[in-house]
Amino acid sequence: MCGIIGYVGKASAAPILIEGLRRLEYRGYDSSGIAILNGSNTIELRKRSGRLDNLKDLLLENPATGSCGISHTRWATHGEPSDENAHPHSDQSGRLAVVHNGVIENYKILKDRLTEEGHEFVSQTDSEVLAHLIGKCYDSSTVSDSKDRLVSAVREALPQVSGTYGIAVLHADIPEFLVGARLGSPLVLGLGRGENFLASDVGAIVTHTKDAVYLQDRDLVCLTPDDFNIEKIDGADSTYEVSTVDYTPEQAEKGEYPHFMLKEIFEQPTSIGNAFRGRLVDDQASAILGGLGLTPRELRDIDRIVLCGCGTASHAAMAGEYIIESLARIPTEVEIASEFRYRNPPLDKNTLVFVISQSGETIDTLAAMREGQRKGHRVLGIVNSVGSTIARESDGGSYLHSGPEIGVAATKSFTSQVTVLALLGLLLGRMKHLSVEYGQNVLKELRELPAKVEQVLLQSERIRQIAIKYNDVPAMLFLGRQFHYATALEGALKMKEISYIFASGHAAAELKHGIIALVSEEVPSVFIMPKDSVYEKNVSTLEEVKARKGPTIAITTEGNTELEELADEVIYIPPVMECLSPILAAIPLQLLSYHFSVERGCDVDKPRNLAKSVTVE
Ligand code: M6R
């Protein structure tokens, strides 16, 4: 979490940094700040708690001019959101400024040591320690060239910290010069003409350049307006390549939509199509996922699959478990990445591990991937963000091709993840027992999905009316069976995170084992119950809720009108084969949480306490 952007060039830095921070706000929005080196070699520091607008207002009152600067938008870890705890942080001399994304785990020991030496700290953050440590190394250095001196100070300081960092450093003695380094937190170098950039994410700089270098762990980079140099922090050589950013700035704008989340929900006919485009093989009634890098023989030998992710990605994994087991009959397990990384799960040579992540930067998912690799396993990624750490470090995998997802609530990434997992199930199934006819049917149904999603989206207004009717309820239950156990969990997560209504998702038959105690006139239950193999079972559960006066909202298949008599509200999805139905059923749930959030006056795209990309433990 936290977003950083640095600029060195000829233009005025402040507007570029503020615009970059706006694009990085999804990474955290508790406070923001900017440090700019002015013409008289003094650092102009401005920072404010709260949203970016507060910083903009401050800059209007008290502008900061100069063409070299660093900036930060924060998701608080150590220390509450406040002006003092906002980045950038200064060293003891006040002539060095640092922005930091990550966590310095040994900050307390370092802070105590520096305090004994006479350093005075003004914040509760771990990051301020980094500024003091680098500043101390700079001030005590005997290196005469000031640029070399700053680089050697960073080199001397970073090995003393344990934890994770993506940093940008600026010194008042050195005009037109920035230093960056990363370990465990993302950092991208943007290459312009007569200007260069450092950022947590290419999205922050895509309006200025499409040429980017995705830095690797332990890289240290120096930037001037016309040049850059990348080495390892310990001075060893580093290899890098310049990539071309594959999306346009417009893709990362809301356009005509009031919120990114709504835009991303409505993009799903396209994003789902992008997830399967070029991957359907008609003459084999199968799918192709070339990025897996596995031979047919290796694929055939797989006897177990582990799917690993966090939050929404773990729900997609759960839907994937049901899909792969039904299509390919290969035992599949879901592991929450944060658990997997600290367990010692038995994996053998025929187990295939996938990590699933929209951002490709989620720290627990990254750590789970590295743990699997450390044990000698091939770990594949299902990732949206091109060039992300998981995309680069995994041993192959598949991109979602969803385009940027900015709203904190994951929407189109979920449906694309499930689509890719369905392709995987089809591919593996067709290598085993799955018939040509069945394979052809899956291909046909996949191709029909975008049009069916359009049909679901037409019900947005109807769903809004439901949100208006129930918008002050204290809690909600989400219930589904089989493929829709995962959908129920996802619906509940969406509702909690953007509407702040307590919601819990359950396998519907679990109701009688305790959850039914929560059913009351004030607590609606959302049933995900298309006309499938467990439909009748769901009807019985719905009756049990009705008998206890619980309001019911049912998501079912078009044409199934009997629920009009039974449920208080009915939302329809088009008929679809059972294993693909989570893709369609997730969409009314996304719309439901969206409209609840709007009706309750919540900040849809930036819900409280959250950040899009969870890059700290
Ligand atoms: O970027 P990732 O897919 O790895 O993110 C995983 C979760 O942090 C994410 O899905 C989170 O749960 C969303 N806010 C849910 O809407």
Side-chain angles (χ1 to χ4, degrees):
M1 5 265 275
C2 300
I4 68 180
I5 170 162
Y7 173 79
V8 55
K10 303 288 176 229
S12 174
I16 293 170
L17 297 180
I18 292 292
E19 173 58 17
L21 289 182
R22 185 180 72 75
R23 290 171 183 273
L24 288 175
E25 259 195 304
Y26 74 89
R27 299 181 65 88
Y29 31 82
D30 293 335
S31 62
S32 52
I34 197 165
I36 291 186
L37 199 52
N38 69 18
S40 17
N41 284 7
T42 309
I43 293 177
E44 303 269 0
L45 193 61
R46 311 276 185 274
K47 39 196 207 173
R48 271 286 152 87
S49 64
R51 295 294 163 87
L52 186 59
D53 282 344
N54 298 353
L55 177 65
K56 282 190 197 163
D57 291 344
L58 179 63
L59 282 164
L60 283 177
E61 286 164 29
N62 191 4
T65 50
S67 56
C68 177
I70 57 177
S71 61
H72 186 273
T73 181
R74 180 171 186 245
W75 186 85
T77 58
H78 299 61
E80 62 174 6
S82 67
D83 291 353
E84 293 74 30
N85 289 335
H87 297 218
H89 290 289
S90 304
D91 72 336
Q92 186 63 27
S93 73
R95 296 193 53 77
L96 177 142
V98 171
V99 286
H100 168 228
N101 166 209
V103 172
I104 305 302
E105 288 166 0
N106 62 339
Y107 88 100
K108 190 78 178 65
I109 298 167
L110 294 168
K111 190 170 181 174
D112 289 348
R113 195 186 303 154
L114 288 161
T115 304
E116 271 173 31
E117 292 170 10
H119 287 251
E120 287 173 14
F121 291 87
V122 293
S123 80
Q124 288 84 51
T125 65
D126 53 334
S127 310
E128 190 184 7
V129 170
L130 211 44
H132 279 252
L133 197 58
I134 298 171
K136 178 188 150 184
C137 296
Y138 182 88
D139 291 337
S140 62
S141 171
T142 53
V143 177
S144 51
D145 179 80
S146 53
K147 286 181 184 161
D148 292 346
R149 190 169 176 175
L150 183 58
V151 171
S152 78
V154 172
R155 287 211 158 109
E156 190 184 336
L158 290 181
Q160 297 178 50
V161 305
S162 57
T164 54
Y165 50 78
I167 57 166
V169 189
L170 174 75
H171 199 290
D173 290 352
I174 322 171
E176 302 192 328
F177 188 65
L178 294 180
V179 177
R182 71 158 279 183
L183 175 64
S185 300
L187 201 59
V188 182
L189 169 67
L191 304 175
R193 291 199 176 167
E195 57 185 9
N196 286 315
F197 306 81
L198 262 186
S200 301
D201 178 348
V202 284
I205 54 177
V206 75
T207 46
H208 304 284
T209 179
K210 291 204 155 227
D211 297 326
V213 178
Y214 296 95
L215 298 173
Q216 299 166 45
D217 273 351
R218 297 191 171 76
D219 275 351
L220 182 146
V221 57
C222 308
L223 295 73
T224 64
D226 300 304
D227 203 4
F228 70 92
N229 182 53
I230 302 172
E231 289 176 353
K232 288 294 175 194
I233 291 166
D234 65 6
D237 289 344
S238 180
T239 52
Y240 64 86
E241 63 183 70
V242 179
S243 311
T244 305
V245 179
D246 76 339
Y247 69 86
T248 62
E250 295 72 37
Q251 278 179 286
E253 296 291 344
K254 285 198 287 253
E256 72 208 45
Y257 291 92
H259 300 100
F260 279 110
M261 184 183 179
L262 192 64
K263 175 183 179 235
E264 288 154 7
I265 291 172
F266 273 76
E267 280 174 347
Q268 288 174 108
T270 306
S271 57
I272 292 167
N274 288 345
F276 67 68
R277 179 160 309 113
R279 292 171 167 170
L280 309 185
V281 188
D282 290 293
D283 58 356
Q284 293 174 36
S286 185
I288 182 166
L289 292 169
L292 301 186
L294 295 170
T295 64
R297 183 187 199 97
E298 286 172 318
L299 285 169
R300 237 171 252 121
D301 284 345
I302 293 164
D303 58 17
R304 183 174 162 234
I305 293 176
V306 172
L307 304 174
C308 210
C310 298
T312 288
S314 74
H315 299 153
M318 192 181 277
E321 173 189 351
Y322 281 68
I323 295 170
I324 294 167
E325 290 191 348
S326 88
L327 293 180
R329 314 286 312 141
I330 297 175
T332 303
E333 288 153 46
V334 175
E335 291 272 0
I336 303 291
S338 53
E339 291 296 311
F340 181 85
R341 62 180 291 191
Y342 291 117
R343 278 186 346 110
N344 193 11
L347 302 172
D348 69 27
K349 66 178 175 36
N350 291 335
T351 303
L352 193 56
V353 181
F354 281 90
V355 287
I356 305 174
S357 174
Q358 188 286 129
S359 62
E361 300 292 351
T362 300
I363 194 84
D364 286 323
T365 313
L366 187 56
M369 179 185 79
R370 288 175 176 162
E371 178 62 12
Q373 290 172 325
R374 196 187 58 74
K375 290 179 173 162
H377 287 277
R378 194 193 307 241
V379 182
L380 303 173
I382 296 177
V383 173
N384 190 36
S385 195
V386 176
S388 59
T389 309
I390 292 178
R392 285 181 291 113
E393 291 188 16
S394 56
D395 303 302
S398 285
Y399 277 120
L400 301 178
H401 300 303
S402 307
E405 188 180 74
I406 312 280
V408 164
T411 51
K412 61 179 177 173
S413 60
F414 175 80
T415 48
S416 293
Q417 285 159 353
V418 179
T419 303
V420 169
L421 289 164
L423 296 177
L424 180 66
L426 175 62
L427 169 67
L428 296 171
R430 286 288 295 129
M431 295 193 138
K432 298 188 178 244
H433 71 285
L434 206 69
S435 70
V436 174
E437 291 72 23
Y438 201 96
Q440 283 168 340
N441 199 25
V442 176
L443 296 183
K444 176 177 155 294
E445 293 259 357
L446 279 164
R447 287 196 172 97
E448 287 172 1
L449 277 176
K452 290 180 180 175
V453 173
E454 299 276 10
Q455 273 174 264
V456 180
L457 294 173
L458 293 176
Q459 292 180 78
S460 181
E461 180 52 31
R462 158 89 187 104
I463 294 170
R464 190 173 79 88
Q465 295 306 323
I466 297 174
I468 291 170
K469 182 167 166 188
Y470 296 95
N471 97 66
D472 57 355
V473 297
M476 290 175 89
L477 299 175
F478 287 77
L479 303 164
R481 292 179 80 132
Q482 299 290 300
F483 291 99
H484 294 295
Y485 176 24
T487 327
L489 293 175
E490 178 57 8
L493 175 61
K494 288 286 93 85
M495 190 58 75
K496 277 183 281 223
E497 76 176 323
I498 59 168
S499 304
Y500 317 146
I501 294 175
F502 178 77
S504 65
H506 303 277
E510 281 291 293
L511 193 77
K512 296 186 286 296
H513 301 285
I515 301 124
I516 200 162
L518 295 171
V519 170
S520 76
E521 284 177 43
E522 284 80 42
V523 177
S525 293
V526 180
F527 282 84
I528 302 109
M529 48 187 300
K531 206 79 163 91
D532 59 13
S533 55
V534 286
Y535 173 75
E536 300 301 339
K537 305 281 176 200
N538 277 319
V539 172
S540 304
T541 312
L542 189 139
E543 295 273 17
E544 289 156 11
V545 169
K546 291 289 300 171
R548 287 157 183 87
K549 299 197 167 22
T552 52
I553 301 168
I555 297 170
T556 193
T557 310
E558 268 166 26
N560 176 37
T561 49
E562 74 166 356
L563 284 181
E564 301 276 351
E565 305 293 313
L566 217 50
D568 296 293
E569 319 292 339
V570 185
I571 302 166
Y572 291 103
I573 59 171
V576 60
M577 77 190 308
E578 208 163 327
C579 72
L580 299 180
S581 59
I583 298 169
L584 288 190
I587 292 165
L589 297 173
Q590 295 166 353
L591 285 167
L592 197 65
S593 63
Y594 171 79
H595 288 302
F596 263 88
S597 179
V598 172
E599 291 307 320
R600 289 164 64 89
C602 303
D603 191 339
V604 175
D605 286 332
K606 298 193 193 90
R608 69 185 178 207
N609 304 336
L610 284 166
K612 179 74 176 160
S613 188
V614 183
T615 56
V616 294
E617 259 198 277

